[in-house]
Amino acid sequence: MSFILLDCSSSGSMAISYTMLLPLLLLMAAVTPGSHSFFPNFWSKFLSFTWGSYTHQDLTEEAILNITLQILLDNPHSLRPALKAQDFQGKTLTADAILAAYFGEEVSPRQFRASLRQIVSANANMDFLNGTRDDPLCHFDSERLKQGNRLLLRMRDQLLVSVKAKEYEGARDRLGQILHSLQDFYSHTNWVEMGNTDIHPDLATPGRDIHSIAGLSDQTCTDCTELSCKNNIVPAIEKRQLLTSGYYGDLPKKPQGKCSHGGPFDDSRLFSARGGINKDTAVSLFSPHHFLHQIAAELALKASIKFLNELRNEVTDRDMLRILGVSASPALSFVMDTTGSMGEEITTARLQSRHIIQHQRQTLLYPDFYILVPFNDPNYGPVYKTSDPDEFLHYLDNLQALGGGDEPEMCLSALQLALIHTPPNSEIFVFTDASSKDAHLRSSVEALIQERKIKVSFLVTEDPSRARVRSRRELLTPDRFDLYANLSEISGGQIIFTNNQDIPAVSEVISESVHFDVVTLFHKQSMERGNSVHEFQVDDFMRSICLFINGDVSTFNILDPAGQIQNGNRQSNGKFTRVSFKHPLPKGRWRIQMKTTGPHTLHIQGRSLVDFLYYFGVPVNGSHPGLYKLSNQPVSGVSAILVVDAIGLPDSAHLDHVTITPAKGVPLKLELEPANQTGLLVAQVGQVPFGDFSIGVSGQDGKGSAFLREAPQHGKSAECVVEITNEYPLMPGEMHWLSLSITSYGTSHCYIITLSNDRGYNMNTTIPRIFTDVNETHEAKFWIQAPDEAETDTTVAVTAQAEACEDKPQSCFTLIPLILVARPEVYSLHSPVCSLVSYSGSCPLSLPPRLCQQHQWHSVVHISDSDGVKSAQILSGFGSISYGPDGTLERVEYSSNCCFPRAEILLMNYRGATSSCHLSAPSNTSNLGQCTNWILLVIMYCSFLVNYLLYI
C-alpha cells in the first residue's frame, strides 16, 4: 500500500437495515447469487484465484492508512520528533509502522487494527447481508445511479449523527458501508469507459447530484459473446457522455439493449445485450471489462481518500482518530460500590486515577474516555462518561459512600452498563466488598465481555473490622464471590481480595494494567491445595513482566530458564503479592513453583507490542466469494476459518500455530498459513468447539527462539443466533418498532427472549416463547419509546438474550445501539410526485361488464422525487406494476383490464414519505393523443402518510 497525498482543500437520512445473512445458506457456504462488486476481502483471492486484483479490503485499508498518516502529519506529537511525509512516500503503509513512528513503543496498534478490521468487515458485509447484497442502490447497479448517490448522502448524514453522539462503533460500520458503495461506482458504471481519468466531482458530495444518465429507452450495450468484452458500449452513449451501469440477475429485470454486470453468476448476461461491463477483477472469467480493473481501482482508492478528507473537514481530528481507533488506549473505566463501608476504596480510586492521569499528562497518552458507574442497593448508575480527565476527577470527588449495611448489591447491573459504554478492548475495574444481588444477569454480562473483548478485574475488600457495618456478614456464604471469580477468569482479568489497610497498595495493579501494550502470558484460578509448577515463556519482544499472586499461597519460587531463582521487585500486602521484572530479561521458559493451601489465582502479564487479534469466518462462494466474519459468539459445530491478525510482529519473526483449548476437551493445535494480506494468517477449523474455549498462538522470533501469546478473553460458541434489525432512527415520544430474529442450530426448539435497554425507556420486554426447528429462523416485532424530554444526539443500547427453555446456560445474545435524534422542525418531507407520460388502451363507458376482461389499459407515469422511489404498491385496483429509473427520473408502469378502470398507487421514497397517485382508464381512444403529447399532473391530492420520518 503506497502513500498518496491528496490536495482536498476544494471542495434527512435513512438507516440501512442490519438484516442478517441467511444463516442456513451462510453455514453451508452457498449463497444465492447477488450483486457483484470489487471482491470483498482477502479470502476472495483464495476462492477465485484472482491474485492480481484489488479487493474492497485492499482499497479500504489503503485509504484509511493514508488519511491516518495525513492527520498525524498535521498534528505533531509534542514530545517526539515530527513525522515527515517523505519518510513514507512510496513505501508500503502498515498500521504498526504508522503508530510506531508517531507514538514510539508506548502504544500498541491493537485498537487501530481492531477498528480497521471492523470497517473492513462492514464494507465486505455489503456483499454478504441480505438487506444490502441484492440492493442495486448499494452497488450502483441497474442504472440506479442518482438513487445510489442519494443513498450515499443519507449514509453520510447518519455517520455524522453517530460521531456527534460519540457512537464511534456505529460510525465505523457506516463508514465501511459508504466506502463500499463509493468504490463500486467506478467498477460498475461506465465512468472509466467514458475516458475519465479523475474521480466524479459530484459523487457523495452534499448539495450536488449525478446528471447525464441514460434513459430507459436508450440502448447502452451491444452483444458480446466472449469473456472479454471490448467496445460493447454503444458509441452514442459515450459520445453523449451518458452514465449507465450493468443490470444483475432478474431483480430488477433488464430491459432489452441494456448492459449487464457480467460474470458467471449473472444470468442477465445471457439476454440482450449479452456480455457485461464490470471491472471487479483483473480476470476475464469474472469481469468482462477486466482490462480496466486497474484504472477503476485507482479511481476508487482516490475517491475513498477524498471522502475521508471531506469527512475530516466535518469533524475534529480527534473525532476522526477515534473513528479510526488511533489513540493511546480506549478507556479508563471504574465500577464503584458506594455503600457506607466503601469510603476507603473510593479514596483509593481517586488517588489511583490522579496518579494515572498525571502520568498521561506527562506522556500525552490519554485514553479516549473516562467512565464511572456507581452502584449500591437498590440503585445503580448513571453512567458518567467523559473525555475530559478533570471532569472525570470531578465525578470521583463528588462520589460519596452512603447507606448500605447489608448484602448483596446491584453489582452486575452496574457492570453491564459499564460494558455497554466502555469501548472494546478495554479493561474495567470493579471496587466492592459485597456479593451480587443480580446474578441472573450473568449470561448477558458474559456475552458482553466476549462481544466487546473487555477485561474485568475485581478488587474485593474483605475486612473483618467491617462486620459491624455489614450486619449480616455472618449469614453470607463463603462462596459468594465465586461469580466475580468466574467473570474475571473468562475476561482475562483478575480478582484480588484485600483488606481496608492494604487496598491503597493493592490498587496499584490498575496502574500496571492500564498500559495498552499489556499482553497475557499465563492465567489460572484454582481451588487445589498442595505443590504445583507452572511455566510461562519470556521472549525477545518482552520489555517487562509482572506476576500477580493472590490467595492462599504459603510459598513460591520463580525460576528463570537457567533454573536460577529470581526474586524481582516484590511487594506483598496480605494475601496479595506483586512481582515485577524489568528489561533485560533472560529469554526462554520460566517456571513458578507454588505451595498452596486453598483458593488462589496466578496472573502473569508482560508489556510487548507483539500481540494478536482473531476472529472466525465462513467462506462464502457464489457471486461474492469471500470470508464472512462471524460475530464474537460463533456457532458451535460449524466448519470455519480462524483468522489471526498478528500485531507488531517484525519481518524476521513468524507465527506457526494456533491452539484452541476447549474448557472440556482436548486442545486443538492448527498450523497457520499466510493469507496474502499484511499481518493476516489463517487456519482451517474442523468445527467450532462447543461452549467455552481459549485461543493461543505460537511462533519464533528472528533468533529462532519460541514465543507464545494468549488471548485474554475466553471465547464461547452458541447454538443460536439472535439479531435485532432497525430501519429508522429513534425520536423522542415515538413508539419505535424493531425486528428481532432468532435462528437455532442446536437441539433446542424453544427459546425465552429477554429484552432490555440501558436507559430504562419504555419497551415491550415480553415476547412469547419462540419455537423453532433446526436451521429455521423465527422473527418477531417489539417497540421502544423514548420520553418526550429525552436528550437527543445520545445513544440507547438495546439488548436481546435468547435462552433455551429447557437449558438456561445455553443462550445467545446481541446488542444494537440506537441514536436518539431530534424530530424535524417541519414534520413533513417532499413526497413523490407523479406525472402522466402516456396511456394506451381504453375502457368505453358503454362497455358491458361481461366483456371488461377482454379490454386492457396501460399507463406510464414519471415520478419526481429527490430521494428515489423505494416501493410502488397497488392500494386499490387490480393489475401489474413495475418501476425503475428512467434517466434522472423514476418510471412506473401499470397495466389492468377494464374490470378495474381506476387504480390508486402508493409510492414511498427512501426517507419514508408516501403519497398516492390516482390513475383512471381513458373512456375512449380520441383522448390518447393528447395524453401522449404532454404531461398531465394526476396527483389528486397532496396528503401523504408518514410512517417513519427521518431528520433532514
Side-chain angles (χ1 to χ4, degrees):
M1 298 180 184
S2 59
F3 174 49
I4 303 173
L5 278 174
L6 292 181
D7 180 9
C8 296
S9 55
S10 60
S11 55
S13 74
M14 160 198 164
I16 292 296
S17 168
Y18 289 94
T19 307
M20 73 175 191
L21 181 66
L22 283 176
L24 175 60
L25 296 181
L26 165 64
L27 299 178
M28 294 176 61
V31 175
T32 304
S35 172
H36 238 312
S37 61
F38 284 115
F39 279 4
N41 50 35
F42 74 94
W43 195 254
S44 308
K45 300 177 184 180
F46 281 88
L47 295 177
S48 61
F49 303 102
T50 53
W51 301 107
S53 303
Y54 291 92
T55 65
H56 279 293
Q57 179 171 356
D58 295 326
L59 300 173
T60 302
E61 288 184 353
E62 187 159 352
I64 289 174
L65 292 175
N66 269 272
I67 192 66
T68 301
L69 181 55
Q70 289 183 35
I71 294 173
L72 297 181
L73 284 168
D74 294 340
N75 295 270
H77 197 297
S78 61
L79 301 179
R80 291 182 51 79
L83 300 185
K84 297 179 180 179
Q86 58 265 32
D87 292 340
F88 297 90
Q89 198 75 42
K91 293 184 179 179
T92 298
L93 288 183
T94 66
D96 296 1
I98 293 173
L99 259 66
Y102 189 79
F103 288 110
E105 294 188 351
E106 288 294 317
V107 174
S108 167
R110 185 196 311 163
Q111 185 186 6
F112 186 22
R113 294 279 286 273
S115 300
L116 189 57
R117 291 290 163 256
Q118 182 185 349
I119 296 170
V120 166
S121 294
N123 185 313
N125 285 348
M126 293 284 277
D127 281 337
F128 297 145
L129 299 180
N130 283 346
T132 55
R133 183 186 64 203
D134 298 322
D135 189 341
L137 273 69
C138 296
H139 308 282
F140 284 95
D141 287 333
S142 307
E143 295 187 311
R144 265 64 174 178
L145 307 182
K146 191 170 184 178
Q147 299 87 342
N149 187 50
R150 287 168 179 171
L151 173 62
L152 278 177
L153 294 175
R154 291 193 294 273
M155 289 196 293
R156 181 183 182 276
D157 289 342
Q158 290 179 325
L159 192 158
L160 292 173
V161 169
S162 295
V163 174
K164 187 175 181 180
K166 300 190 183 302
E167 216 291 283
Y168 298 111
E169 293 172 72
R172 291 182 198 118
D173 287 336
R174 189 63 69 206
L175 178 59
Q177 295 164 352
I178 291 171
L179 293 180
H180 183 106
S181 297
L182 190 66
Q183 293 157 4
D184 273 356
F185 175 85
Y186 297 95
S187 175
H188 292 188
T189 71
N190 64 328
W191 178 259
V192 173
E193 286 85 344
M194 289 166 60
N196 291 297
T197 57
D198 204 352
I199 59 179
H200 196 297
D202 300 326
L203 189 64
T205 303
R208 300 183 185 178
D209 209 343
I210 294 180
H211 302 285
S212 301
I213 301 172
L216 185 64
S217 60
D218 291 319
Q219 181 181 354
T220 55
C221 272
T222 58
D223 278 345
C224 168
T225 57
E226 305 295 329
L227 289 178
S228 181
C229 293
K230 293 187 177 181
N231 302 317
N232 63 326
I233 295 180
V234 174
I237 296 296
E238 296 184 359
K239 182 178 180 180
R240 294 164 59 192
Q241 290 288 288
L242 294 179
L243 275 172
T244 186
S245 67
Y247 283 74
Y248 195 97
D250 57 1
L251 290 175
K253 184 178 180 180
K254 182 180 75 170
Q256 187 172 0
K258 290 294 185 180
C259 301
S260 287
H261 180 89
F265 304 106
D266 177 18
D267 292 339
S268 79
R269 79 189 191 283
L270 303 175
F271 304 97
S272 177
R274 291 177 292 176
I277 64 170
N278 91 72
K279 299 162 281 295
D280 292 337
T281 75
V283 178
S284 61
L285 174 64
F286 296 101
S287 301
H289 283 199
H290 60 97
F291 45 89
L292 297 175
H293 171 75
Q294 179 73 28
I295 299 174
E298 290 173 357
L299 292 182
L301 173 60
K302 190 173 182 181
S304 299
I305 297 175
K306 174 180 179 286
F307 178 84
L308 290 169
N309 267 298
E310 291 176 346
L311 175 63
R312 181 186 174 191
N313 292 333
E314 294 282 343
V315 301
T316 66
D317 276 354
R318 189 171 185 183
D319 277 332
M320 196 72 184
L321 291 176
R322 283 174 179 161
I323 297 173
L324 304 177
V326 178
S327 66
S329 65
L332 178 63
S333 188
F334 289 163
V335 174
M336 182 68 64
D337 186 342
T338 60
T339 48
S341 57
M342 291 292 295
E344 193 66 36
E345 287 83 347
I346 294 174
T347 299
T348 296
R350 290 180 187 137
L351 293 175
Q352 282 297 323
S353 298
R354 291 187 185 279
H355 172 73
I356 292 169
I357 290 171
Q358 182 61 34
H359 177 73
Q360 291 167 346
R361 282 175 170 157
Q362 293 173 353
T363 60
L364 299 183
L365 300 179
Y366 293 103
D368 286 338
F369 294 106
Y370 301 89
I371 298 160
L372 172 65
V373 184
F375 72 93
N376 48 49
D377 181 25
N379 301 313
Y380 60 92
V383 178
Y384 297 102
K385 185 174 182 179
T386 180
S387 300
D388 185 345
D390 293 323
E391 186 176 357
F392 178 68
L393 292 175
H394 178 71
Y395 291 154
L396 277 173
D397 288 341
N398 288 320
L399 208 60
Q400 296 182 357
L402 298 172
D406 62 356
E407 287 198 38
E409 292 170 0
M410 306 295 284
C411 182
L412 290 200
S413 296
L415 177 56
Q416 181 173 258
L417 275 180
L419 286 164
I420 289 171
H421 290 273
T422 299
N425 301 296
S426 303
E427 184 165 6
I428 296 172
F429 299 94
V430 182
F431 292 80
T432 186
D433 63 354
S435 56
S436 177
K437 188 177 186 177
D438 42 11
H440 63 279
L441 295 175
R442 173 175 180 168
S443 56
S444 61
V445 167
E446 288 180 349
L448 280 167
I449 287 171
Q450 182 185 15
E451 174 76 20
R452 303 178 70 74
K453 298 189 182 305
I454 291 177
K455 292 182 183 179
V456 180
S457 292
F458 293 84
L459 280 75
V460 180
T461 308
E462 275 282 53
D463 193 337
S465 65
R466 297 185 181 182
R468 298 187 305 275
V469 179
R470 298 240 186 233
S471 58
R472 293 169 57 191
R473 177 76 67 185
E474 68 279 358
L475 301 178
L476 301 175
T477 60
D479 61 353
R480 62 190 179 279
F481 295 120
D482 286 358
L483 174 57
Y484 298 162
N486 292 333
L487 291 176
S488 65
E489 170 80 11
I490 67 168
S491 72
Q494 303 180 63
I495 181 167
I496 300 173
F497 293 95
T498 184
N499 55 42
N500 190 38
Q501 179 181 354
D502 295 330
I503 184 66
V506 170
S507 65
E508 290 182 8
V509 66
I510 300 172
S511 298
E512 192 70 37
S513 301
V514 78
H515 302 288
F516 200 53
D517 58 352
V518 171
V519 296
T520 300
L521 301 180
F522 185 87
H523 183 88
K524 185 177 180 64
Q525 292 182 8
S526 177
M527 302 291 291
E528 297 178 359
R529 301 180 180 183
N531 297 320
S532 60
V533 178
H534 306 288
E535 295 183 341
F536 60 96
Q537 188 79 20
V538 176
D539 54 66
D540 203 35
F541 309 122
M542 206 70 60
R543 299 201 302 275
S544 64
I545 59 173
C546 194
L547 293 81
F548 302 97
I549 304 161
N550 186 241
D552 297 329
V553 180
S554 55
T555 61
F556 67 87
N557 286 313
I558 303 171
L559 288 77
D560 66 15
Q564 301 295 316
I565 294 177
Q566 297 286 345
N567 292 318
N569 181 15
R570 298 196 180 197
Q571 178 183 347
S572 296
N573 301 94
K575 293 184 177 183
F576 176 77
T577 300
R578 172 181 173 274
V579 186
S580 60
F581 297 89
K582 301 295 184 182
H583 188 79
L585 301 166
K587 309 303 184 292
R589 193 168 293 277
W590 289 51
R591 292 177 297 156
I592 177 169
Q593 301 170 338
M594 303 175 64
K595 183 176 181 180
T596 59
T597 58
H600 60 278
T601 302
L602 173 62
H603 180 86
I604 306 174
Q605 65 187 34
R607 293 190 63 185
S608 171
L609 293 181
V610 176
D611 199 359
F612 77 101
L613 299 166
Y614 75 91
Y615 64 87
F616 289 97
V618 175
V620 178
N621 297 313
S623 62
H624 303 88
L627 193 71
Y628 176 74
K629 178 181 177 294
L630 297 176
S631 71
N632 290 322
Q633 196 177 26
V635 178
S636 58
V638 173
S639 178
I641 301 296
L642 179 60
V643 180
V644 172
D645 195 349
I647 297 173
L649 196 66
D651 294 337
S652 59
H654 54 88
L655 289 176
D656 301 319
H657 295 91
V658 59
T659 302
I660 305 174
T661 306
K664 298 179 180 179
V666 180
L668 177 64
K669 189 173 184 179
L670 303 170
E671 185 175 352
L672 287 170
E673 299 179 2
N676 197 37
Q677 195 85 13
T678 303
L680 294 185
L681 302 104
V682 296
Q684 177 74 48
V685 181
Q687 286 187 336
V688 176
F690 179 80
D692 290 345
F693 58 88
S694 60
I695 299 283
V697 296
S698 58
Q700 292 186 334
D701 62 19
K703 301 176 182 177
S705 299
F707 73 93
L708 307 170
R709 292 292 184 272
E710 294 284 335
Q713 293 80 25
H714 287 196
K716 187 175 184 178
S717 61
E719 291 188 335
C720 59
V721 173
V722 61
E723 293 196 357
I724 299 174
T725 303
N726 176 52
E727 190 169 356
Y728 298 102
L730 176 67
M731 295 183 189
E734 288 193 351
M735 186 176 289
H736 185 81
W737 287 92
L738 299 141
S739 299
L740 178 141
S741 63
I742 179 170
T743 307
S744 173
Y745 300 101
T747 57
S748 179
H749 301 287
C750 172
Y751 290 93
I752 300 171
I753 307 296
T754 303
L755 301 167
S756 64
N757 70 85
D758 65 327
R759 292 189 179 271
Y761 292 165
N762 290 334
M763 63 187 305
N764 61 332
T765 57
T766 302
I767 292 179
R769 290 191 177 197
I770 290 179
F771 296 89
T772 179
D773 291 329
V774 177
N775 294 328
E776 181 181 273
T777 299
H778 186 97
E779 296 185 352
K781 296 278 189 179
F782 68 97
W783 56 264
I784 181 173
Q785 186 174 30
D788 291 329
E789 66 276 9
E791 182 183 358
T792 58
D793 296 326
T794 59
T795 59
V796 52
V798 176
T799 60
Q801 181 174 332
E803 292 184 305
C805 300
E806 67 280 3
D807 186 8
K808 290 296 183 67
Q810 296 302 319
S811 66
C812 48
F813 177 91
T814 192
L815 177 149
I816 182 172
L818 305 177
I819 299 178
L820 190 64
V821 301
R823 189 187 306 273
E825 293 183 7
V826 180
Y827 197 69
S828 65
L829 295 171
H830 294 295
S831 57
V833 176
C834 37
S835 302
L836 183 65
V837 175
S838 66
Y839 273 128
S840 61
S842 65
C843 297
L845 295 176
S846 60
L847 183 70
R850 68 179 183 277
L851 300 178
C852 64
Q853 290 187 353
Q854 300 176 17
H855 291 256
Q856 305 289 320
W857 65 284
H858 180 81
S859 65
V860 177
V861 176
H862 268 162
I863 310 299
S864 176
D865 186 86
S866 59
D867 294 292
V869 175
K870 183 178 183 180
S871 66
Q873 304 176 44
I874 302 173
L875 275 186
S876 64
F878 184 82
S880 62
I881 189 170
S882 63
Y883 65 96
D886 189 1
T888 58
L889 297 173
E890 306 257 358
R891 179 186 179 100
V892 174
E893 298 189 21
Y894 176 80
S895 298
S896 182
N897 60 46
C898 288
C899 298
F900 300 92
R902 295 178 181 81
E904 182 180 2
I905 309 300
L906 178 67
L907 304 170
M908 183 172 72
N909 68 15
Y910 279 93
R911 289 186 183 268
T914 62
S915 67
S916 294
C917 183
H918 292 258
L919 303 172
S920 296
S923 59
N924 56 71
T925 58
S926 62
N927 296 329
L928 296 183
Q930 295 178 354
C931 292
T932 56
N933 289 333
W934 55 283
I935 298 175
L936 297 174
L937 186 67
V938 297
I939 289 287
M940 306 306 296
Y941 53 85
C942 295
S943 62
F944 53 87
L945 309 174
V946 179
N947 296 323
Y948 297 98
L949 289 176
L950 305 186
Y951 68 94
I952 299 177

